[in-house]
Amino acid sequence: MTRPVLYLFGSAAPPVHEFPDVVRRANAEGYDVCVGLTPTAARWLSAEMPVLEKLTGRPVRSEYKLPGEPDVWPKADAILLAPATANTLNHWALGLTHHFVVGVVAEGIGKRIPIVAMPCVNSAYAQHPQLDLSVATLRAAGVNVLYGPGGFEPNQPGERRSEGYPWHLAFAAIEEIVRGQP
């Protein structure tokens, strides 16, 4: 039996630094993982790129391939975009696809690839009216956005929760999609 292919995408929020451990967890749970990062997240994780590529057996991508170049990743069975910043969510909901990660998830909606997104925004960003509009737009398009009660809840600017980023919620949502198990 082949392992389900999980595209693990992240934007530049503190939990992206946990990607090596998140990839290890996904591998242990039976996923074939491909890592994609926004340009800023790629810069943040530049020192971890060799580790991520060794763990996945594939290049980490943060840029579009050139026309005519072969795709180096298999097709996704599911996409997890976490952490997702307000910037990434707003670009995605508005269809502004100049970054690789946003382009793939935007196209993923049309291709009907199951997508889970879990924001990481502080309460100041959460007050901007576009964020709620973007979350509602993505949910209406069929994206499982784990935001609010039962998902990620904003913290105060500069604060981190002692319990950490709720990766367990993201993995449970992916498990339910891919394997039909909560």
Side-chain angles (χ1 to χ4, degrees):
M1 181 173 179
T2 61
R3 298 183 316 153
V5 176
L6 175 65
Y7 286 7
L8 175 63
F9 289 171
S11 15
V16 80
H17 289 290
E18 300 168 24
F19 260 36
D21 288 335
V22 174
V23 171
R24 286 182 191 96
R25 176 180 178 170
N27 284 338
E29 292 187 14
Y31 293 99
D32 184 0
V33 183
C34 300
V35 173
L37 301 167
T38 62
T40 303
R43 195 168 59 250
W44 286 14
L45 294 183
S46 61
E48 285 85 6
M49 291 295 190
V51 170
L52 292 169
E53 290 180 351
K54 184 176 181 184
L55 289 168
T56 63
R58 295 190 176 82
V60 173
R61 295 186 59 193
S62 60
E63 296 181 13
Y64 287 108
K65 66 180 184 66
L66 295 175
E69 282 185 336
D71 202 340
V72 295
W73 288 358
K75 291 185 190 300
D77 292 303
I79 301 172
L80 171 58
L81 173 52
T85 61
N87 185 54
T88 297
L89 291 168
N90 291 336
H91 277 95
W92 181 14
L94 293 170
L96 305 175
T97 61
H98 59 281
H99 292 306
F100 168 74
V101 163
V102 176
V104 173
V105 293
E107 190 175 37
I109 291 171
K111 290 181 172 180
R112 301 194 187 279
I113 299 169
I115 305 171
V116 174
M118 188 163 59
C120 183
V121 297
N122 66 41
S123 58
Y125 280 115
Q127 295 304 308
H128 193 286
Q130 185 58 50
L131 184 63
D132 285 339
L133 293 171
S134 293
V135 169
T137 297
L138 295 170
R139 285 178 173 158
V143 177
N144 183 359
V145 183
L146 303 174
Y147 182 67
F152 180 84
E153 296 191 46
N155 46 283
Q156 293 300 312
E159 256 184 34
R160 292 197 74 188
R161 288 193 173 80
S162 59
E163 69 273 14
Y165 189 68
W167 288 109
H168 65 284
L169 297 175
F171 274 96
I174 289 295
E175 278 292 302
E176 188 170 340
I177 288 169
V178 173
R179 298 192 175 103
Q181 301 171 358

